[in-house]
Amino acid sequence: MNVGERLTDQNFPESPEKSTLEGKNKFLGFWLFLGGETVLFATLFGTYLGLRNSFGKGPEASEIFSLPITFAATIILLTSSLTSVYAVLALKENRVKAMRGWFFVTLLLGLGFLALEIYEFMHYVHEGHTFTSGAFGSAFYTLVGFHGGHVLFGCLWVITLLIRNSGRGLTLHNAPKYYLFALYWHFVDVVWVFIFTVVYLMGKVG
């Protein structure tokens, strides 16, 4: 079967994302990538924990963090993880239109999260909490900003997928790409849960 051939209900395999050697290799490469990302984020978390009390000229975390905003951002991002699950379920059933629709909703939620994060950063800068106000500011913006960069990358990734495969249907070539994006998005969401707990909740309680 040609990997570029559109899948139908008659030739649809049980796991289209892993039905070819190319698809399996993509999974292997992706898990190696996530391993490196995990080490990188662990390093940033360790740096933040070591510097979170070095406020310098800036305000303390408990003075500036706004939990309602970050809680809303958390709900939005976790909801986007759920919509990506619905997209994968639609992929498994060859419901291409539904899959694309759920991924589009995931994209909108990701953009909503980024909008809240940008608003939050602007508010903090206005309050004197900048990248150079102290070691705490540098560690905070590096960790949270790096995660925001990952969300932005994910948004660009799914936009590329949706545009590139518009009208093509599901094939053995693009099915792994959709599936791997969903895994990447879950990883980004899990990292955010740790950020919300370690940075924001711990910052408020001291």
Side-chain angles (χ1 to χ4, degrees):
M1 181 179 178
N2 191 322
V3 295
E5 183 179 344
R6 183 191 292 257
L7 295 174
T8 65
D9 291 340
Q10 287 68 39
N11 63 5
F12 198 79
E14 182 177 353
S15 299
E17 73 279 5
K18 299 179 183 177
S19 295
T20 64
L21 179 60
E22 178 186 352
K24 293 176 181 176
N25 287 337
K26 285 178 179 174
F27 267 83
L28 176 62
F30 186 75
W31 285 116
L32 293 175
F33 165 74
L34 284 191
E37 288 286 289
T38 302
V39 172
L40 185 56
F41 271 108
T43 303
L44 293 176
F45 272 108
T47 303
Y48 175 81
L49 289 173
L51 300 175
R52 68 191 182 101
N53 293 320
S54 302
F55 304 111
K57 299 178 182 177
E60 298 182 7
S62 58
E63 297 175 330
I64 57 168
F65 283 167
S66 175
L67 285 185
I69 294 178
T70 40
F71 182 73
T74 302
I75 294 299
I76 289 174
L77 202 58
L78 293 181
T79 303
S80 74
S81 201
L82 178 62
T83 58
S84 70
V85 169
Y86 287 143
V88 169
L89 291 176
L91 181 153
K92 293 278 191 179
E93 297 172 354
N94 198 24
R95 295 185 290 119
V96 179
K97 190 174 181 180
M99 178 196 71
R100 291 175 58 83
W102 283 118
F103 275 133
F104 183 71
V105 175
T106 302
L107 168 63
L108 294 180
L109 292 170
L111 293 175
F113 171 85
L114 285 176
L116 279 180
E117 189 160 83
I118 291 171
Y119 171 80
E120 177 193 19
F121 281 8
M122 292 175 63
H123 172 71
Y124 291 162
V125 170
H126 181 73
E127 296 294 323
H129 178 49
T130 67
F131 190 84
T132 57
S133 59
F136 163 60
S138 301
F140 170 80
Y141 284 109
T142 301
L143 173 59
V144 180
F146 194 67
H147 174 269
H150 277 66
V151 175
L152 176 61
F153 176 78
C155 290
L156 296 175
W157 185 351
V158 74
I159 288 173
T160 303
L161 279 177
L162 293 174
I163 294 177
R164 180 73 175 85
N165 297 291
S166 177
R168 288 190 173 188
L170 202 59
T171 68
L172 295 180
H173 181 66
N174 61 25
K177 297 179 179 180
Y178 282 118
Y179 196 91
L180 290 180
F181 162 75
L183 287 181
Y184 172 84
W185 199 254
H186 293 319
F187 172 77
V188 170
D189 288 359
V190 169
V191 172
W192 177 256
V193 171
F194 279 99
I195 290 177
F196 181 70
T197 304
V198 173
V199 176
Y200 293 97
L201 293 184
M202 289 179 60
K204 288 299 285 187
V205 299

